[in-house]
Amino acid sequence: MSASSGSTAEGIRGGDEILLAFTRALRAGGVPVTQDRTHDFLAAAALLGADDPGAVRVAGRSTLCAAPDDLARFDQIFEAFFNSRHGLPRPRPVVRPEPTAEQLPLDDGEGEQADRADDVIRAAASPTEVLRHRDVASLSAEEKQRLAAMFATLRPRPPLRRTARHQRWHRGQVDASRTLRESLRRMGEPAEIAWRRRSQKPRRVVLLVDVSGSMSSYADALLRLAHRLTQGIGNVETFTIGTRVTHVTRAMRTRDVERALVAAGETVPDWSGGTRLGETLRFFLDRWGQRGMARGAVVVVFSDGWERGDVSVLAEQMARLRRIAHRVVWVNPHRGKDGYEAVQTGVLAALPFCDDFVAGHSLATYADLVEVLADA
């Protein structure tokens, strides 16, 4: 470590010194932790709460890991560092000062009821769990920053499809050719029966994200979800729809999520514009979908269904999409809200051609969507 960075570390509080020591342990363990990532980690840990081990883990995985292989190494070093019983430092607990006599509440005979109420409060959900179920559109700027770090907790798995090729397996169909070859190699003596099964490969996922004015409060979170799916699954194509169709897959493949969102923002020309779902869907199918991108794929449409164009065009194009796609999933941010009814003309036109109609307004609903995609 250089002299300047050493002097800087000496001026940092004890909690940050522990986090800095943890980054050095990661670097020694083979995780390529840079100075910029260290600063981002300290900022994220301070924002989420450095006294919460779960928050520190989320902050570290979001800022210090650059590749999938780093995640497993990070978890091992995290457990060894913070849970060691052999003298390694651990985060210091937050010490709250004892209240003075003036600060103590007066005893009016309701002390037992107050203790009982306090027990109920302590049994409530954690702030992180509450934030997972909050509507993205209702969050403050600080809460959105905390939620952005929590997207790293999503664990997407690709939907699989069977291929024409076979692979060796311990059960399934009898592999007659391999069994016969093994018998001939033994000069006709009986050989062990060989088995095989159809091999599998990831199925393509196509995301159509509505960035019109009615979806502007959800666009940032949906693009973060698209980035997480792209980084976790790989075989993902992302488009934004509104008054135009924009292919933003290249931006979503940028490893850093903030840079990916900036690149997408520079690419999309119709942020917070109007909505012509039928026309944009027809353009997508004519240029990309019919030629093979949507054929046999899982297509996910993120939209509230407000259609300013002809809904009959939307119904026609949804029927066309349903014929070539393996599965069509419609994600509506209002679907999970109390009292919601599918009365939008666009939703009513599209629903007959959708396999799944799911909510998409919170991180918890995004986690449910990840499972829907994995099972598609």
Side-chain angles (χ1 to χ4, degrees):
M1 202 174 198
S2 62
S4 60
S5 60
S7 61
T8 303
E10 292 176 358
I12 298 177
R13 295 178 290 109
D16 288 349
E17 290 178 351
I18 295 176
L19 299 181
L20 285 174
F22 173 59
T23 61
R24 290 193 292 270
L26 285 175
R27 194 180 298 113
V31 179
V33 178
T34 63
Q35 194 71 17
D36 293 339
R37 291 174 185 164
T38 300
H39 288 307
D40 293 341
F41 170 53
L42 294 179
L47 182 64
L48 299 179
D51 58 336
D52 184 1
V56 174
R57 180 190 291 268
V58 170
R61 290 172 64 94
S62 304
T63 57
L64 300 177
C65 299
D69 295 337
D70 295 340
L71 296 175
R73 192 175 295 113
F74 174 91
D75 292 337
Q76 295 175 356
I77 298 175
F78 185 93
E79 295 296 332
F81 188 91
F82 289 107
N83 296 330
S84 174
R85 299 182 180 179
H86 301 290
L88 288 177
R90 59 178 64 242
R92 300 176 182 176
V94 177
V95 179
R96 295 180 174 84
E98 294 292 334
T100 62
E102 292 79 4
Q103 296 173 331
L104 291 174
L106 297 177
D107 187 3
D108 55 358
E110 299 180 355
E112 183 178 352
Q113 296 180 2
D115 292 342
R116 195 176 297 117
D118 184 61
D119 292 339
V120 174
I121 294 176
R122 291 180 180 177
S126 66
T128 301
E129 186 65 21
V130 172
L131 187 59
R132 290 185 71 252
H133 292 82
R134 288 278 304 278
D135 190 338
V136 172
S138 65
L139 300 181
S140 64
E142 181 180 356
E143 290 173 332
K144 288 182 179 180
Q145 291 181 352
R146 292 175 55 195
L147 185 70
M150 294 169 60
F151 272 87
T153 61
L154 297 178
R155 296 290 181 268
R157 293 175 290 118
L160 301 176
R161 66 178 182 89
R162 295 197 303 172
T163 66
R165 296 179 177 272
H166 290 80
Q167 63 180 6
R168 294 185 180 183
W169 200 241
H170 57 275
R171 55 189 175 88
Q173 299 177 347
V174 175
D175 190 342
S177 298
R178 192 154 57 92
T179 303
L180 180 59
R181 287 196 302 269
E182 183 64 20
S183 178
L184 293 176
R185 193 179 67 82
R186 296 170 174 266
M187 304 300 293
E189 293 293 331
E192 183 179 356
I193 296 177
W195 305 90
R196 68 177 185 176
R197 70 165 185 176
R198 295 275 291 273
S199 60
Q200 296 178 321
K201 64 182 301 183
R203 188 183 295 275
R204 181 184 293 111
V205 177
V206 179
L207 309 178
L208 304 178
V209 183
D210 188 347
V211 294
S212 61
S214 61
M215 289 287 293
S216 59
S217 56
Y218 297 96
D220 180 82
L222 293 178
L223 287 179
R224 290 182 184 275
L225 174 62
H227 179 269
R228 185 70 187 123
L229 293 174
T230 302
Q231 299 298 319
I233 297 178
N235 193 15
V236 177
E237 298 288 341
T238 305
F239 297 82
T240 61
I241 56 177
T243 58
R244 300 179 59 179
V245 181
T246 307
H247 195 191
V248 294
T249 300
R250 177 175 296 181
M252 292 296 102
R253 287 175 180 169
T254 303
R255 187 170 297 277
D256 183 77
V257 60
E258 300 301 333
R259 294 181 180 178
L261 294 182
V262 171
E266 295 174 349
T267 305
V268 178
D270 56 340
W271 285 105
S272 300
T275 309
R276 295 199 298 266
L277 294 176
E279 296 179 15
T280 53
L281 189 57
R282 177 167 55 189
F283 182 81
F284 163 75
L285 291 173
D286 289 342
R287 183 169 181 179
W288 290 285
Q290 195 73 34
R291 297 183 178 181
M293 185 172 291
R295 190 174 298 277
V298 179
V299 181
V300 186
V301 182
F302 298 90
S303 178
D304 55 3
W306 288 107
E307 172 64 297
R308 294 186 179 181
D310 188 355
V311 293
S312 62
V313 176
L314 176 59
E316 177 185 350
Q317 299 307 313
M318 285 296 297
R320 182 181 170 193
L321 174 63
R322 186 65 192 87
R323 287 193 295 268
I324 64 176
H326 170 72
R327 198 170 188 87
V328 178
V329 181
W330 191 288
V331 181
N332 191 322
H334 306 299
R335 173 72 169 84
K337 300 179 181 179
D338 294 336
Y340 170 78
E341 294 183 5
V343 297
Q344 297 88 348
T345 56
V347 174
L348 294 177
L351 275 182
F353 309 102
C354 296
D355 297 287
D356 298 282
F357 183 49
V358 299
H361 65 284
S362 65
L363 186 65
T365 59
Y366 299 154
D368 294 338
L369 175 62
V370 167
E371 296 303 319
V372 171
L373 294 180
D375 297 335

